[in-house]
């Protein structure tokens, strides 16, 4: 199956089974916004809880054999506007974009690719420069459009199956840009020059809609942590090295939201700022890159689906000495990888900036060394909604040999529903026994009782939802007090004592 059809199937299953819906679908949808349905919210909460557990409730063991100290925080989405001046977002958090006068479309200039398409006009060879948004099928769509565009220009396209590799729009000079056909335009030269476009959503706090009341929806959760650094130091008994973790919504007015929930305008982040001494910072950076990679592996993401990409020196922010991305092989990036999480060495940049802008000391006093300094920060920053996409992509399996071929092989701990509980038929005492088992198990696990339709259909429904186990009460149960437990991944069934079902699940879900 091609990677674009895998993605189409994942998007279709997500909607059909209630993982992800387009936001405002009733009104035609709103680009870049998504709703998480009944199964989606369970999956998202499982990822969120696993991260919170791994960071705050039971943080990793440090290199010295002791558990790290990390506390949690939940800061406001809207902060004082000076926050974004100090952090640099007000000035520098922008993407280059171009507008199309004809189609009124807006595109990220660095994501537009331009193909040279050979054509003929009055016996002479000409070249049409046609832009498309970078994607797997960009060349295909440009070749299709070229037919129409060449005829409209009074010529005809030359016969070609393959075009030369495209160039990125921003690599063309201003004169060359003027003759480009925009991705949705019928004539050349309708694209504006690239302009910087700030990605922060603006709003107003209070009744007056003037500049003095302008506020921004946070584009990252991290800055709230820096603003409360002193509050946490003064109110908790933390000592450097320690971390502050936060999970919450962030907003970016992305020019081209795309690839399902991968790049959204409203999304959730899981970020942790780890404060350490400057001399130990390199050691902690390396520690966190490895710890975060291990965490993703523990959620059932295969080793070969993940990659660590160390940023080149010219990619690093001026204050950072090292940054690594944990990347995933998404169907839409294949054979390449795309970002899932970034681990950044942010030095003392953020605290220094907020200290200077707020005129409040944000130093740490090390009593043992009798030393006052601004701690350095290592920041593992992951997308929660992007993680949900990764788990769906990783779990999606199409097995033609099975009666219902679409299966979500989610890690049992991440699965929204842990067990389906079925009576084989809806009579002969089976529903009563199955329902009693369900009432017992639901105290601890998200379970679903289902007595409708043929058993095969019920299994298929659970396979698509990613439910790892199905427990069926059948004709034998009344005789020997056993039930069938079916494993989603293998389809294998085994007989288990009715009273051993809670232990069976505990052994697989609670460790
Ligand atoms: N505080 C650092 C920071 O925000 P980032 O690389 O811009 O760094 C961290 O974001 C993570 O947040 C990304 O690795 C990604 O998983 C997620 N993320 C960023 N922008 C996103 C978007 N538009 N839609 C969904 N997730 C996004």
């Amino acid at each position: 199956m091609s990677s674009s059809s895998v993605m189409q199937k994942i998007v279709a299953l997500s909607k059909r089974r209630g993982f992800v819906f387009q936001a405002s679908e009733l009104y035609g949808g709103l680009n870049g916004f998504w709703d998480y349905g009944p199964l989606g919210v369970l999956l998202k909460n499982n990822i969120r809880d696993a991260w919170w557990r791994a960071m705050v409730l039971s943080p990793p063991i440090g290199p010295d054999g002791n558990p790290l100290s990390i506390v949690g925080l939940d800061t406001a989405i809207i902060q004082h506007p000076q926050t974004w001046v100090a952090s640099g977002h007000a000035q520098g958090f922008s993407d280059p974009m171009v507008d199309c006068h004809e189609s009124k479309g807006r595109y990220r200039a660095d994501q537009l690719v331009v193909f040279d398409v050979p054509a003929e006009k009055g016996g002479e060879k000409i070249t049409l420069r046609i832009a498309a948004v970078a994607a797997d099928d960009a060349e295909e769509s440009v070749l299709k459009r070229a037919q129409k565009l060449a005829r409209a220009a009074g010529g005809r396209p030359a016969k070609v199956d393959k075009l030369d590799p495209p160039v990125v729009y921003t690599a063309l000079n201003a004169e060359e840009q003027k003759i480009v056909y925009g991705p949705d335009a019928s004539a050349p030269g309708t694209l504006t020059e690239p302009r910087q476009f700030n990605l922060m959503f603006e709003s107003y706090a209070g009744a007056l809609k003037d500049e003095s009341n302008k506020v921004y929806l946070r584009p990252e959760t991290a800055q709230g942590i820096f603003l409360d650094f002193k509050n946490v130091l003064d109110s908790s008994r933390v000592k450097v090295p320690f971390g502050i973790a936060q999970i919450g919504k962030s907003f970016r007015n992305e020019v081209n939201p795309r690839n399902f929930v991968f790049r959204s305008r409203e999304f959730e982040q899981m970020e942790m700022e780890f404060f350490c001494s400057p001399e130990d910072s390199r050691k902690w950076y390396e520690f966190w890159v490895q710890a975060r990679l291990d965490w993703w592996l523990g959620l059932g993401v295969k080793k070969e689906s993940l990659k660590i990409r160390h940023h080149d020196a010219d990619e690093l922010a001026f204050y950072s000495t090292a940054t690594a991305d944990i990347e995933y092989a998404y169907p839409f990036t294949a054979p390449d990888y795309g970002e899932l999480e970034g681990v950044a060495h942010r030095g003392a940049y953020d605290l220094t900036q907020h200290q200077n802008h707020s005129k409040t000391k944000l130093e740490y006093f090390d009593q043992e060394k009798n030393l006052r300094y601004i701690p350095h920060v290592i920041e593992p920053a992951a997308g929660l909604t992007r993680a949900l996409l990764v788990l769906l992509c990783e779990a999606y399996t199409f097995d033609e040999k099975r009666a219902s071929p679409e299966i979500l092989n989610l890690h049992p701990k991440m699965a929204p529903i842990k067990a389906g509980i079925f009576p084989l038929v809806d009579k002969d005492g089976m529903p009563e026994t199955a329902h009693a088992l369900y009432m017992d198990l639901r105290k601890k696990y998200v379970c679903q009782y289902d007595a409708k339709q043929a058993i095969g259909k019920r299994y298929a429904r659970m396979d698509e939802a990613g439910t790892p186990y199905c427990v069926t009460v059948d004709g034998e149960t009344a005789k020997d007090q056993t039930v069938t437990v079916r494993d989603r991944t293998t389809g294998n069934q085994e007989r288990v004592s009715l009273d051993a079902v809670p232990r069976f699940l505990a052994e697989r879900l609670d460790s």
Side-chain angles (χ1 to χ4, degrees):
M1 211 188 300
S2 75
S3 19
S4 62
S5 43
V6 170
M7 209 48 224
Q8 279 167 9
K9 284 200 173 312
I10 292 172
V11 174
L13 185 142
S14 295
K15 174 162 188 215
R16 193 172 72 246
R17 294 313 313 270
F19 282 94
V20 183
F21 307 125
Q22 172 70 63
S24 304
E25 196 187 65
L26 212 53
Y27 292 102
L30 190 61
N31 196 9
F33 296 89
W34 299 95
D35 295 338
Y36 293 84
L39 291 184
V41 78
L42 286 168
L43 174 57
K44 186 152 70 67
N45 288 352
N46 288 343
I47 305 169
R48 178 199 68 188
D49 293 348
W51 189 91
W52 195 254
R53 169 151 289 283
M55 284 294 183
V56 180
L57 305 182
S58 178
I61 308 296
D64 65 357
N66 290 316
L68 302 182
S69 161
I70 304 180
V71 294
L73 197 65
D74 185 7
T75 67
I77 283 172
I78 294 178
Q79 301 282 355
H80 194 290
Q82 272 303 311
T83 307
W84 312 111
V85 176
S87 69
H89 286 86
Q91 312 83 316
F93 193 55
S94 52
D95 277 339
M97 52 137 223
V98 290
D99 286 312
C100 177
H101 294 308
E102 184 190 324
S103 71
K104 305 292 174 229
R106 174 167 278 185
Y107 315 95
R108 270 223 0 218
D110 55 343
Q111 286 174 0
L112 277 189
V113 285
V114 181
F115 290 89
D116 278 347
V117 185
E120 234 178 81
K121 187 176 172 183
E124 273 189 34
K125 288 194 168 135
I126 57 166
T127 300
L128 303 176
R129 312 204 93 172
I130 305 177
V133 175
D136 282 354
D137 58 356
E139 181 173 345
E140 210 179 303
S141 76
V142 161
L143 277 171
K144 269 193 209 146
R145 284 182 65 216
Q147 306 279 341
K148 245 184 157 173
L149 298 179
R151 291 214 169 83
R156 58 194 176 87
K159 280 208 170 65
V160 279
D161 297 331
K162 193 102 199 78
L163 296 172
D164 287 340
V167 290
V168 180
Y169 185 76
T170 44
L172 301 176
N173 65 35
E175 284 309 305
E176 291 168 325
Q177 287 175 353
K178 277 190 196 142
I179 55 163
V180 169
Y181 287 82
D184 305 291
S186 62
T190 60
L191 296 177
T192 61
E193 277 188 16
R195 279 186 293 138
Q196 289 300 324
F197 169 72
N198 194 294
L199 300 186
M200 284 197 294
F201 278 99
E202 293 172 6
S203 189
Y204 297 89
L208 281 181
K209 281 197 174 165
D210 63 13
E211 275 302 301
S212 66
N213 279 346
K214 202 192 246 179
V215 290
Y216 301 92
L217 303 194
R218 67 180 175 201
E220 60 172 20
T221 58
Q223 293 305 319
I225 297 180
F226 297 122
L227 298 196
D228 271 337
F229 170 73
K230 194 167 156 24
N231 280 336
V232 172
L233 261 191
D234 293 348
S235 61
S236 325
R237 301 183 57 196
V238 284
K239 283 204 173 80
V240 167
F242 74 96
I244 307 181
Q246 162 153 250
I247 299 176
K249 292 239 174 182
S250 290
F251 301 82
R252 295 182 190 179
N253 197 2
E254 299 282 0
V255 178
N256 276 334
R258 57 189 188 147
N259 292 327
F260 198 29
V261 302
F262 177 80
R263 189 175 302 289
S264 315
R265 289 181 167 145
E266 175 177 339
F267 55 99
E268 279 175 80
Q269 290 186 305
M270 310 184 285
E271 299 198 283
M272 196 273 295
E273 310 301 320
F274 195 73
F275 301 93
C276 56
S277 68
E279 59 272 22
D280 286 343
S281 59
R282 185 75 208 187
K283 173 187 90 182
W284 286 114
Y285 167 73
E286 279 156 19
F287 174 88
W288 279 112
V289 171
Q290 190 57 46
R292 295 303 304 145
L293 179 69
D294 292 345
W295 188 77
W296 291 109
L297 295 171
L299 292 198
V301 186
K302 289 186 290 298
K303 211 171 169 191
E304 58 271 24
S305 306
L306 292 168
K307 193 174 97 178
I308 293 181
R309 189 179 72 81
H310 294 279
H311 285 208
D312 293 333
D314 59 358
E315 271 182 279
L316 293 174
F318 69 91
Y319 52 79
S320 177
T321 51
T323 294
D325 286 344
I326 298 176
E327 298 188 329
Y328 177 73
Y330 300 92
F332 48 81
T333 56
D336 292 333
Y337 292 67
E339 183 180 339
L340 164 61
E341 169 162 3
V343 183
H345 188 317
R346 300 182 67 103
Y349 173 74
D350 302 271
L351 289 179
T352 308
Q353 285 294 100
H354 289 301
Q355 172 168 290
N356 293 344
H357 282 255
S358 67
K359 313 256 179 301
T360 307
K361 284 256 174 271
L362 294 177
E363 291 171 336
Y364 174 75
F365 179 60
D366 184 331
Q367 285 175 331
E368 266 169 50
K369 293 188 183 145
N370 195 22
L371 192 67
R372 209 174 277 283
Y373 63 92
I374 295 189
H376 277 206
V377 167
I378 310 302
E379 175 194 70
L384 171 53
T385 38
R386 202 175 277 187
L388 175 136
L389 173 62
V390 164
L391 293 198
L392 287 179
C393 292
E394 189 69 4
Y396 184 83
T397 312
F398 192 88
D399 183 351
E400 279 166 333
K401 294 191 287 301
R402 297 214 345 198
S404 301
E406 292 191 275
I407 305 152
L408 281 188
N409 276 317
L410 288 165
H411 189 294
K413 285 189 187 161
M414 291 297 112
I417 303 168
K418 305 301 185 199
I421 316 294
F422 312 146
L424 182 61
V425 288
D426 209 7
K427 56 182 185 184
D428 300 336
M430 293 179 216
E432 289 76 7
T433 309
H435 202 262
L437 179 64
Y438 164 70
M439 291 304 284
D440 185 32
L441 294 176
R442 73 190 279 279
K443 291 178 202 149
K444 202 161 160 202
Y445 305 110
V446 179
C447 294
Q448 202 164 84
Y449 178 80
D450 190 359
K452 300 254 160 56
Q453 296 185 305
I455 191 77
K457 285 227 162 91
R458 284 179 265 167
Y459 285 153
R461 273 202 287 274
M462 286 293 125
D463 287 349
E464 278 190 350
T467 307
Y469 308 107
C470 288
V471 184
T472 306
V473 171
D474 56 20
E476 298 298 302
T477 309
K479 293 182 212 150
D480 63 4
Q481 294 298 299
T482 63
V483 290
T484 300
V485 181
R486 173 185 177 272
D487 182 287
R488 169 207 63 203
T489 309
T490 60
N492 292 343
Q493 303 191 4
E494 60 180 298
R495 295 293 304 176
V496 172
S497 283
L498 187 55
D499 60 7
V501 174
R503 199 172 64 237
F504 178 95
L505 292 183
E507 280 166 8
R508 286 155 183 82
L509 298 168
D510 297 354
S511 58

